[in-house]
Amino acid sequence: MALVVFPDGSRRDFPDGVSAAAVLKELGQRLQKEALVARVNGRVADLATVLPQEVEIEFLTFADEEGRDVYRHSSAHILAQAVKRLYPQAKLAIGPAISDGFYYDFDVPAPFTPEDLNRIEAEMARIIKEDLPITRFELSREEARALFEAAGEDYKVEIIDELPPESVISCYRQGEFIDLCAGPHVPSTGCIKAVKLLSVAGAYWRGDERNKMLQRIYGTSFPKRSLLEEHLHRLEEAKRRDHRRLGAELDLFSVREEGPGLPFFHPKGVVLYNELVSFWREEHRRRGYQEIKTPILLRRELWERSGHWDHYKENMYFAMIDEQPYAIKPMNCPGCILLYQRRLHSYRELPIRIGEMGLVHRHELSGVLHGLMRVRSFTQDDAHIFCRRDQVKAEILAIIEIVEYFYRTVFGFDYHVELSTKPEEAMGDEAIWELAEAALREALDETGMPYRVNVGEGAFYGPKIDFHLRDCLGRTWQCGTIQADFVMPEKFDLFYIGEDGQRHRLVMLHRVVFGSLERFIAILTEHFAGAFPVWLAPVQARVLPITERHTAYAAEVTCFLEEAGVRAELDARNEKVSYKIREAQVQKVPYMLVVGDREISEHTVSVRHRAEGDLGPMPPGVIRDRIVAEIKARRI
RNA sequence: GCUGGGGUAGCUCAACGGCAGAGCAGCUGACUUGUAAUCAGCAGGUUGUGGGUUCAAAUCCCAUCCCCAGCUCCA
């Protein structure tokens, strides 16, 4: 007998050799219909899996993340099968589930066209209609090799050859199609209800640009047509939040052909920018930071000394001035270091925290430029902390606290953390890197926050903690970062005078909180869909006189607000109020103040909030106080 | 940088070898307006740029720039 334990703790006996599917038959109708795979003793497995003697089992549906991944993964197999039917010469690479769907990479002689996608989608529908059972079988490494070699599937053979010796090699079969795959999968192709192929793009084999470029087809699938429609609708909605679109609509910024990746900030965008900077200054002054400004252009020698010339040249811009080679700064650290070196520093001064709103220029590949998210000139809210070794951890913790305060408390963002370790091209010896990594890791562990390790993604001079935020489509962008640097202090011979009167090597921390003002503004715009919190809103209140005879009073109200520090505007155009309101709404102005005969005689304003609607009449002082309080509290 | 798609009025788009158009925005005038678009008129273009094919090119071909999606890379 097999003892089966369910998630609710209930237990039942089944005959030996019972499958998960057979157990499922004894359960509720709804679950039978929706179950895709089972979690068997913690491992996700096919429903056909034969259960061991004593087992904890849980059935997973599309509602579970793992169930969803399996569903999408099976969809990817159907995609591959369809492609093989239509293009037998196509070679299969990999086809995983991703957050909102799946993709499959193919090596084909000619790239797929959008019309090809339609044909493939139609073939997928046929495969789904055929309702082919999806079955697993295991085989030896030699058998697997022989199978895929005979089929001409070079990539699969490569994958097999690189599987660790102890691994079980499995394949999944559906009709005439067999794919090397660890699984699990849904029981049959008919389980997939609604599929849509979304796009084709080139993708390097194994993500390495030295390898062949394959054709990647992206798609998504859902158990119901309506869920797919909803998802596609959400994608459309997300596009309305796109900061590039809102940037133009709200007149915040633009990028022109005259300078790809070199953004122009418009007056309204600058208001936002300045608000962020003054908030940043306030918070950093409070936390013991000084602020400096260093040149954008410095002699090339400096960059040779810092290692940028050797490790970062490809990303830098250069200039000749009076026959001397110069470089435009891609980072602020060398400039800051020069200032640290201008005099001796006592151990009593440490840690020294020096901030800089530094405008840097980096030659990013043309294909990666993206609105304000990825540009070639941007302002980092940089700071460098010069400290003793025993101060490193406390300093890192203090920076993490600033990030948490900014991101979560002030802006209400959700974020995730990554630890990036030594890259291939790095300066400094192994021991120094281990020390630096340990410092970051210890601090992170102390906070208890979860983090992912990003192997080989660190800066060339040190490992880093990265803070990532999401855009409107769920893509993540690195914003904040903390880098522990034991290398630059060596390169530039940075020291302090200790209690003993001797020179001691110090440690340098590089850090940004916003990351870059540009990227942060982009994230901010998408997160709030352009309806910025009042303290950031370029226009905080717009006064709307009903007719010309109310303009004088409206101007008075506008002045009254401006005197209290509110960014108020008067809309004196000869238009109907409804027209002015619509415009103010479209511009996401938080407060609209309507004034007409009634307001003049009662000395009030009729207030409309962009989200709450008509708030009724109130004395100007009341709404002024409300707005001022909201600004002061930086309410979100 | 690579793969694919795309660039037509300030914006969104139509015309897809045969006279370059519409809506919104803009300007002018009328209307004096009460919580998401008043009406009428006017103006707006070397169809990204350069070359080619053709009697004729926005449309076909080549090159180039820029944009979009993805890959790679990064704040």
Side-chain angles (χ1 to χ4, degrees):
Chain A
M1 294 293 264
L3 177 64
V4 175
V5 183
F6 295 98
D8 63 358
S10 66
R11 303 155 168 264
R12 276 172 73 176
D13 288 323
F14 285 91
D16 276 340
V18 71
S19 70
V23 170
L24 179 63
K25 281 224 166 64
E26 303 299 314
L27 303 178
Q29 285 270 316
R30 172 126 185 243
L31 189 60
Q32 281 188 42
K33 233 177 104 186
E34 291 182 2
L36 301 168
V37 277
R39 198 200 311 275
V40 178
N41 286 339
R43 294 250 311 261
V44 185
D46 298 327
L47 290 181
T49 307
V50 172
L51 301 179
Q53 282 296 326
E54 200 174 320
V55 65
E56 280 184 31
I57 196 165
E58 181 187 358
F59 291 97
L60 302 175
T61 69
F62 193 80
D64 302 290
E65 196 184 329
E66 287 142 307
R68 207 152 51 232
D69 282 352
V70 169
Y71 193 86
R72 264 69 183 266
H73 188 189
S74 298
S75 307
H77 274 220
I78 295 172
L79 165 59
Q81 184 174 17
V83 167
K84 284 300 270 186
R85 281 185 182 180
L86 298 171
Y87 311 87
Q89 74 283 30
K91 291 180 185 178
L92 305 177
I94 54 162
I98 50 175
S99 64
D100 275 321
F102 59 89
Y103 68 78
Y104 212 111
D105 285 349
F106 304 94
D107 184 357
V108 277
F112 297 113
T113 64
E115 297 79 66
D116 291 335
L117 285 198
N118 292 334
R119 283 183 65 206
I120 295 166
E121 210 176 280
E123 190 59 43
M124 287 176 77
R126 219 162 290 142
I127 293 165
I128 288 166
K129 200 157 172 231
E130 288 166 22
D131 196 18
L132 306 167
I134 304 177
T135 54
R136 175 191 174 93
F137 61 95
E138 291 177 4
L139 63 182
S140 71
R141 185 175 298 258
E142 292 68 37
E143 289 167 333
R145 233 182 159 274
L147 177 67
F148 287 101
E149 216 162 49
E153 295 289 0
D154 307 338
Y155 298 95
K156 297 294 178 189
V157 173
E158 198 178 318
I159 293 169
I160 293 166
D161 286 344
E162 287 181 20
L163 286 172
E166 68 281 6
S167 49
V168 175
I169 300 180
S170 61
C171 287
Y172 280 77
R173 183 201 303 273
Q174 55 201 55
E176 82 288 356
F177 176 77
I178 294 173
D179 197 358
L180 176 75
C181 181
H185 280 281
V186 301
S188 76
T189 59
C191 296
I192 308 302
K193 301 298 180 195
V195 196
K196 174 106 185 132
L197 298 184
L198 298 168
S199 60
V200 222
Y204 302 106
W205 166 237
R206 306 214 146 163
D208 189 329
E209 63 182 328
R210 287 166 299 196
N211 288 341
K212 183 160 189 191
M213 181 165 269
L214 309 174
Q215 292 299 311
R216 175 173 297 178
I217 299 180
Y218 283 92
T220 191
S221 60
F222 288 86
K224 269 183 166 172
R225 193 90 228 157
S226 60
L227 288 173
L228 173 63
E229 302 289 335
E230 237 174 72
H231 177 253
L232 296 176
H233 183 70
R234 261 199 311 278
L235 285 182
E236 283 306 307
E237 284 295 303
K239 283 188 192 149
R240 291 173 191 280
R241 304 173 80 101
D242 190 309
H243 77 281
R244 291 165 300 184
R245 179 178 173 146
L246 287 168
E249 284 173 3
L250 305 181
D251 200 16
L252 302 173
F253 75 93
S254 57
V255 189
R256 317 197 26 128
E257 275 208 23
E258 289 83 347
L262 306 167
F264 286 66
F265 277 89
H266 304 357
K268 284 181 178 157
V270 169
V271 170
L272 211 94
Y273 183 101
N274 286 342
E275 282 297 335
L276 289 173
V277 172
S278 59
F279 165 65
W280 183 91
R281 288 213 167 103
E282 194 179 300
E283 293 299 329
H284 283 75
R285 212 174 303 137
R286 198 207 304 289
R287 289 173 170 86
Y289 282 76
Q290 304 165 267
E291 189 176 344
I292 59 167
K293 204 92 198 157
T294 68
I296 282 178
L297 198 58
L298 291 162
R299 282 247 177 111
R300 198 175 83 189
E301 272 167 19
L302 174 70
W303 305 100
E304 285 165 357
R305 185 167 183 199
S306 68
H308 285 85
W309 175 258
D310 284 338
H311 300 275
Y312 211 73
K313 217 183 3 229
E314 305 305 308
N315 286 294
M316 292 171 68
Y317 300 107
F318 299 97
M320 281 302 263
I321 298 169
D322 291 342
E323 286 159 57
Q324 291 291 323
Y326 279 70
I328 298 172
K329 68 175 176 182
M331 295 187 194
N332 304 300
C333 25
C336 184
I337 288 171
L338 294 183
L339 277 196
Y340 177 85
Q341 287 178 317
R342 75 191 184 279
R343 61 175 171 81
L344 291 179
H345 294 278
S346 152
Y347 70 95
R348 296 172 198 274
E349 294 176 65
L350 304 185
I352 297 176
R353 309 183 186 95
I354 308 176
E356 172 173 15
M357 282 289 165
L359 177 61
V360 297
H361 288 75
R362 297 183 183 175
H363 180 255
E364 301 294 344
L365 294 178
S366 60
V368 307
L369 302 178
H370 184 94
L372 285 186
M373 292 280 189
R374 191 73 186 275
V375 290
R376 284 175 171 168
S377 102
F378 56 101
T379 308
Q380 293 185 302
D381 63 318
D382 217 343
H384 296 91
I385 297 170
F386 301 87
C387 63
R388 300 192 311 256
R389 254 186 210 195
D390 61 293
Q391 294 171 322
V392 168
K393 193 160 103 184
E395 286 304 309
I396 294 172
L397 285 170
I399 301 163
I400 294 174
E401 188 273 328
I402 305 179
V403 174
E404 167 72 15
Y405 177 68
F406 272 48
Y407 288 16
R408 189 107 49 200
T409 311
V410 175
F411 296 105
F413 293 159
D414 208 17
Y415 66 97
H416 81 265
V417 183
E418 296 182 10
L419 176 66
S420 297
T421 60
K422 188 175 181 225
E424 265 177 47
E425 252 214 55
M427 287 196 316
D429 56 52
E430 204 61 47
I432 264 178
W433 276 83
E434 271 169 34
L435 218 58
E437 272 174 38
L440 294 177
R441 202 181 286 269
E442 267 173 45
L444 270 181
D445 289 339
E446 192 160 318
T447 66
M449 36 172 65
Y451 61 91
R452 211 178 78 193
V453 178
N454 228 335
V455 180
E457 296 293 310
F460 68 83
Y461 48 81
K464 53 184 191 168
I465 295 172
D466 302 323
F467 300 90
H468 295 249
L469 293 170
R470 278 176 187 285
D471 72 9
C472 62
L473 289 173
R475 297 174 289 208
T476 73
W477 296 88
Q478 185 191 312
C479 292
T481 175
I482 306 172
Q483 304 167 355
D485 180 4
F486 291 72
V487 170
M488 292 290 165
E490 292 290 338
K491 285 264 158 197
F492 285 94
D493 189 24
L494 298 178
F495 59 86
Y496 61 92
I497 306 296
E499 270 176 289
D500 55 5
Q502 300 297 306
R503 294 179 170 197
H504 296 271
R505 179 68 66 232
L506 50 71
V507 181
M508 210 178 151
L509 300 177
H510 309 240
R511 46 112 284 174
V512 286
V513 179
F514 290 134
S516 84
L517 271 293
E518 288 75 5
R519 182 174 288 181
F520 200 82
I521 286 172
I523 296 273
L524 212 51
T525 305
E526 303 201 349
H527 183 261
F528 290 110
F532 299 105
V534 177
W535 71 280
L536 288 171
V539 178
Q540 294 165 321
R542 195 176 276 178
V543 184
L544 315 176
I546 288 171
T547 73
E548 268 166 31
R549 68 175 181 279
H550 309 120
T551 310
Y553 177 68
E556 215 177 287
V557 171
T558 309
C559 267
F560 176 72
L561 291 173
E562 278 174 338
E563 272 162 29
V566 176
R567 291 186 289 270
E569 252 179 25
L570 170 63
D571 185 351
R573 290 175 305 171
N574 183 11
E575 296 289 350
K576 290 167 96 169
V577 226
S578 53
Y579 178 87
K580 296 182 187 178
I581 282 177
R582 184 188 144 77
E583 278 216 341
Q585 284 285 152
V586 169
Q587 288 295 306
K588 326 250 184 195
V589 175
Y591 289 99
M592 287 152 271
L593 278 45
V594 178
V595 296
D597 291 334
R598 284 204 298 272
E599 287 74 15
I600 290 175
S601 65
E602 291 160 21
H603 199 71
T604 57
V605 291
S606 284
V607 179
R608 179 187 164 104
H609 185 269
R610 69 181 167 205
E612 293 161 43
D614 195 347
L615 302 180
M618 55 186 87
V622 171
I623 188 60
R624 176 203 56 192
D625 292 349
R626 172 172 167 161
I627 296 173
V628 168
E630 239 180 275
I631 294 169
K632 192 148 181 286
R634 298 207 167 90
R635 214 182 93 190
I636 48 172

